[in-house]
Amino acid sequence: MEITFLGTGAGVPSTKRNVSSAALRLDSGEVWLFDCGEATQHQILISSITLSKMTKIFITHLHGDHIFGLPGILGSRSFQGGESEVIVYGPKGLADFIDTAIRISGTYLRYPLRIVEVEDGIQVNESHFSIKVALLEHGIDSFGYRIEERDKAGTLNVEKLKALGVQPGPIYQKLKSGSSIKLENGQTIHACDVTGPTIKGRHIVVCGDTRFTEKTIDFARNADVLIHEATFSEANTRLAYEYYHSTTVQAARIAKDARVEKLLLNHISSRYQESDVVGLVEEARNIFENTDLMEDQTSVQIPLRKASST
Amino acid sequence: MEITFLGTGAGVPSTKRNVSSAALRLDSGEVWLFDCGEATQHQILISSITLSKMTKIFITHLHGDHIFGLPGILGSRSFQGGESEVIVYGPKGLADFIDTAIRISGTYLRYPLRIVEVEDGIQVNESHFSIKVALLEHGIDSFGYRIEERDKAGTLNVEKLKALGVQPGPIYQKLKSGSSIKLENGQTIHACDVTGPTIKGRHIVVCGDTRFTEKTIDFARNADVLIHEATFSEANTRLAYEYYHSTTVQAARIAKDARVEKLLLNHISSRYQESDVVGLVEEARNIFENTDLMEDQTSVQIPLRKASST
């Protein structure tokens, strides 16, 4: 899995940072988009992402810098031949926005489009993932999404099975799914004796714009990656509170208390210049060492967790 | 006056050409925008145009590549401190699109926004301009806008007036407005005797997407500049007809028959590469010599016409 940041700025585009969007590329090749500010499709044009592979879009909240790229990206995906269904998740009001833009502009979509308006606490279960949703604190409804890749069974020890006289066949699948089997000689083989350690699924938490809230700590608990806004520096903690945003240090505190593996900061105010970035990262790292501040077109690999035995 | 092309592509953005928009900078410094595809505000960011100076937007038709940049640009203009009124002209449905996007996104505008839905044949009269609207042929309502700068009185010949014993004062204004005056000695001075030739206003015609139609010839008659789409080359005349678009050669024929001063081609299909441009221009110039094909960020000066006597 890899996440590519397409827009890491706040509020309005600048020449250095576009408005919000990030694309998660799954091992299957599918792309899941998080937020879609204006010109997200333009950012995709200069990235290695293929629009037709985009199958889900998660909208954290309805502010323009997070949604104004939606009508265009949906239309262009059709124009480029995308035919598979797209599901867009987001707050109440999202369907009205998308439907109106598509209808008024006469945009033709050659693929099915489904819009799912989410609520605090809901969970969506997919075959390989579950998706959890939490309401954060931003004046208007702003959500975090927790993407949990399901754990996978460890690798079968084929050598050991053959030594036991078990030949490949449906029995292998049974063992792989965790069941025990009984051989003709009466011997019972437990799955755990012939499979390697479970491959832990990765958990990625993407937060929308938000004030610091304790709730995020629970929501991000033990995640592999936490993507959290850091609109302001610590010096502007008061401004952050007034405008329902977070500081670098607040994001780092959440990462630390939630014991996440890695913290990626985005949604950086245009008041900060390139030369300020070192300082912004530094104040976060003082709290939580494994922090990086994202730039547009930065890609971050999300490695498999260290294996643990079943 | 100067027109800057912000997006010269058709349908979807490419890395070379953004979707439709052009900005007309008036002598007063005001900016009038024609169409506003997605990321028009991004194109403005790298141009010399100031968003707060943008006071009017003319939308030719409601296809996404001409309107999806509207919500973002209106919001950013407010964010950047724009306080003067903006009027957006366009087809029926435009207000629904803009109002929905502004409402759902909670976009705050610190300036008054007026949306005027236009119809074939209407005329808007401003102090220094009149604006004429014509319906073209594009499957959905697509309009052309003819911006007519009003003629200005010629310069007063102050030396001559002084020689006649007429001193500066309200009388100069009267002469400048075209009235005759009678001096105390009984002599009548006609405005035309003491003013230079009338300064002809410039006429700029901006067409939305359209098939070739004779109507455009009348509408563009004698304009200083005609901006016309050329989605296709002459070889694709049939495709142009089927998709309600025009070819280079059709645009040139209109320019020739309308006796315009200059033809600027835009809305170029992404099927054409940079190396095709010479050929596209060439086939238009074979019909109408004073043709140029626009690139993104190209600016074209619109000079005053040669003076003619009153």
Side-chain angles (χ1 to χ4, degrees):
Chain A
M1 279 205 266
E2 183 185 61
I3 186 135
T4 301
F5 288 79
L6 300 167
T8 58
V12 292
S14 72
T15 52
K16 294 291 174 203
R17 297 182 187 276
N18 196 33
V19 282
S20 292
S21 188
L24 178 67
R25 194 168 357 201
L26 307 180
D27 293 345
S28 65
E30 267 182 77
V31 172
W32 291 3
L33 200 67
F34 293 86
D35 285 328
C36 188
E38 184 177 353
T40 293
Q41 64 165 320
H42 297 66
Q43 292 287 69
I44 286 178
L45 264 184
I46 55 166
S47 78
S48 61
I49 294 160
T50 310
L51 214 44
S52 61
K53 299 282 180 69
M54 181 188 71
T55 54
K56 292 193 194 326
I57 305 176
F58 300 90
I59 297 297
T60 61
H61 65 295
L62 298 177
H63 281 155
D65 56 325
H66 295 253
I67 64 166
F68 285 164
L70 274 173
I73 211 170
L74 294 173
S76 292
R77 184 180 186 271
S78 181
F79 190 91
Q80 288 172 22
E83 293 192 332
S84 59
E85 183 185 58
V86 170
I87 309 179
V88 190
Y89 298 91
K92 192 166 164 50
L94 182 64
D96 188 5
F97 170 72
I98 296 176
D99 291 346
T100 303
I102 298 286
R103 172 174 54 79
I104 299 276
S105 64
T107 299
Y108 168 71
L109 299 183
R110 64 168 74 220
Y111 56 84
L113 175 69
R114 192 142 60 94
I115 302 165
V116 179
E117 294 185 340
V118 302
E119 283 174 16
D120 189 28
I122 71 157
Q123 179 164 337
V124 178
N125 294 308
E126 302 267 328
S127 50
H128 298 294
F129 291 90
S130 74
I131 300 149
K132 293 173 177 167
V133 182
L135 184 65
L136 307 173
E137 274 189 41
H138 190 52
I140 65 164
D141 280 3
S142 180
F143 293 98
Y145 292 95
R146 182 177 176 116
I147 310 298
E148 296 189 348
E149 187 184 29
R150 295 196 191 287
D151 296 347
K152 282 182 239 170
T155 321
L156 271 192
N157 187 335
V158 176
E159 290 309 307
K160 194 170 177 181
L161 281 165
K162 283 184 176 165
L164 289 163
V166 187
Q167 295 307 313
I171 214 169
Y172 273 41
Q173 203 50 48
K174 212 168 166 189
L175 283 165
K176 191 146 183 160
S177 71
S179 307
S180 302
I181 56 158
K182 201 163 187 176
L183 299 182
E184 286 178 3
N185 64 10
Q187 188 187 352
T188 297
I189 300 179
H190 300 291
C192 58
D193 297 333
V194 290
T195 49
T198 299
I199 300 164
K200 293 292 285 177
R202 288 154 286 189
H203 295 193
I204 297 118
V205 175
V206 184
C207 292
D209 293 7
T210 184
R211 260 186 197 160
F212 173 87
T213 158
E214 297 273 345
K215 189 175 176 184
T216 316
I217 300 169
D218 278 340
F219 188 62
R221 185 85 60 203
N222 296 324
D224 294 73
V225 175
L226 167 62
I227 297 166
H228 198 286
E229 69 132 293
T231 311
F232 293 104
S233 70
E234 194 187 14
N236 285 314
T237 303
R238 195 182 178 136
L239 267 185
Y241 183 83
E242 282 170 9
Y243 287 100
Y244 290 93
H245 283 296
S246 298
T247 68
T248 48
V249 164
Q250 289 170 334
R253 282 206 190 110
I254 287 167
K256 186 185 176 191
D257 291 350
R259 296 174 175 274
V260 306
E261 189 64 29
K262 193 173 188 66
L263 170 64
L264 304 177
L265 301 176
N266 68 352
H267 205 269
I268 312 301
S269 165
S270 60
R271 72 180 59 206
Y272 302 112
Q273 307 300 309
E274 277 182 285
S275 55
D276 298 321
V277 166
V278 172
L280 292 170
V281 178
E282 196 56 33
E283 60 185 20
R285 284 187 184 158
N286 284 340
I287 310 287
F288 184 78
E289 177 62 30
N290 200 4
T291 300
D292 281 314
L293 188 148
M294 297 294 97
E295 306 292 332
D296 287 14
Q297 302 291 341
T298 300
S299 288
V300 177
Q301 297 291 333
I302 306 172
L304 284 167
R305 291 193 197 193
K306 264 181 246 159
S308 63
S309 359
T310 47
Chain B
M1 278 205 266
E2 184 185 61
I3 187 135
T4 301
F5 288 80
L6 300 167
T8 59
V12 292
S14 72
T15 52
K16 294 289 174 206
R17 296 183 188 275
N18 196 34
V19 282
S20 292
S21 187
L24 177 68
R25 194 167 357 200
L26 308 181
D27 293 344
S28 65
E30 268 183 76
V31 172
W32 291 3
L33 202 67
F34 293 85
D35 285 329
C36 187
E38 185 178 351
T40 294
Q41 64 164 321
H42 297 68
Q43 292 286 71
I44 286 178
L45 264 183
I46 54 167
S47 77
S48 62
I49 295 159
T50 311
L51 213 45
S52 60
K53 299 281 181 67
M54 182 188 72
T55 53
K56 292 193 194 328
I57 305 176
F58 300 90
I59 298 297
T60 61
H61 64 296
L62 298 177
H63 281 155
D65 57 325
H66 295 252
I67 64 166
F68 285 165
L70 274 174
I73 212 170
L74 295 174
S76 292
R77 183 181 188 270
S78 181
F79 190 89
Q80 288 173 22
E83 294 192 332
S84 58
E85 184 184 59
V86 170
I87 309 178
V88 190
Y89 298 90
K92 194 167 161 50
L94 182 64
D96 189 5
F97 170 72
I98 295 176
D99 290 346
T100 303
I102 298 285
R103 174 175 52 80
I104 299 276
S105 64
T107 300
Y108 168 71
L109 300 184
R110 64 168 75 219
Y111 56 84
L113 175 68
R114 193 141 58 95
I115 302 165
V116 178
E117 294 185 342
V118 301
E119 284 174 14
D120 189 28
I122 71 156
Q123 179 166 337
V124 178
N125 294 308
E126 301 267 328
S127 50
H128 298 294
F129 292 90
S130 74
I131 301 150
K132 294 172 177 168
V133 182
L135 184 66
L136 308 173
E137 274 190 40
H138 191 52
I140 66 164
D141 280 2
S142 181
F143 293 99
Y145 292 95
R146 181 177 176 115
I147 310 297
E148 296 189 348
E149 187 185 27
R150 296 196 191 288
D151 295 348
K152 280 182 240 170
T155 319
L156 272 193
N157 188 335
V158 177
E159 291 308 309
K160 194 169 177 182
L161 281 164
K162 283 184 177 166
L164 290 164
V166 186
Q167 295 307 315
I171 213 168
Y172 273 42
Q173 204 48 49
K174 211 168 168 191
L175 283 165
K176 191 146 185 163
S177 72
S179 308
S180 302
I181 56 160
K182 202 165 188 175
L183 299 182
E184 285 176 7
N185 64 9
Q187 187 187 355
T188 297
I189 301 177
H190 298 290
C192 57
D193 296 333
V194 290
T195 52
T198 299
I199 300 163
K200 293 292 286 178
R202 289 154 286 189
H203 295 192
I204 298 118
V205 174
V206 184
C207 292
D209 293 7
T210 185
R211 259 185 197 160
F212 173 87
T213 159
E214 297 275 345
K215 188 176 176 183
T216 316
I217 300 168
D218 277 339
F219 188 62
R221 185 87 61 202
N222 296 324
D224 294 76
V225 175
L226 168 62
I227 298 166
H228 198 286
E229 69 131 295
T231 311
F232 293 104
S233 70
E234 193 185 15
N236 286 313
T237 303
R238 194 184 179 133
L239 267 186
Y241 183 83
E242 282 171 9
Y243 287 99
Y244 290 94
H245 284 295
S246 298
T247 68
T248 48
V249 164
Q250 289 170 334
R253 280 205 190 111
I254 286 166
K256 185 183 176 193
D257 291 351
R259 297 175 175 273
V260 305
E261 188 63 30
K262 192 172 189 64
L263 170 64
L264 304 176
L265 300 176
N266 67 352
H267 205 268
I268 312 301
S269 165
S270 60
R271 73 181 58 208
Y272 302 111
Q273 307 301 308
E274 277 182 283
S275 55
D276 298 321
V277 166
V278 172
L280 292 170
V281 178
E282 196 57 32
E283 60 186 19
R285 284 188 184 158
N286 284 341
I287 310 289
F288 183 78
E289 176 62 29
N290 199 5
T291 300
D292 282 313
L293 188 147
M294 296 296 96
E295 306 292 332
D296 287 14
Q297 302 291 342
T298 300
S299 289
V300 177
Q301 296 291 332
I302 307 171
L304 285 167
R305 293 192 196 193
K306 263 180 246 158
S308 63
S309 356
T310 48

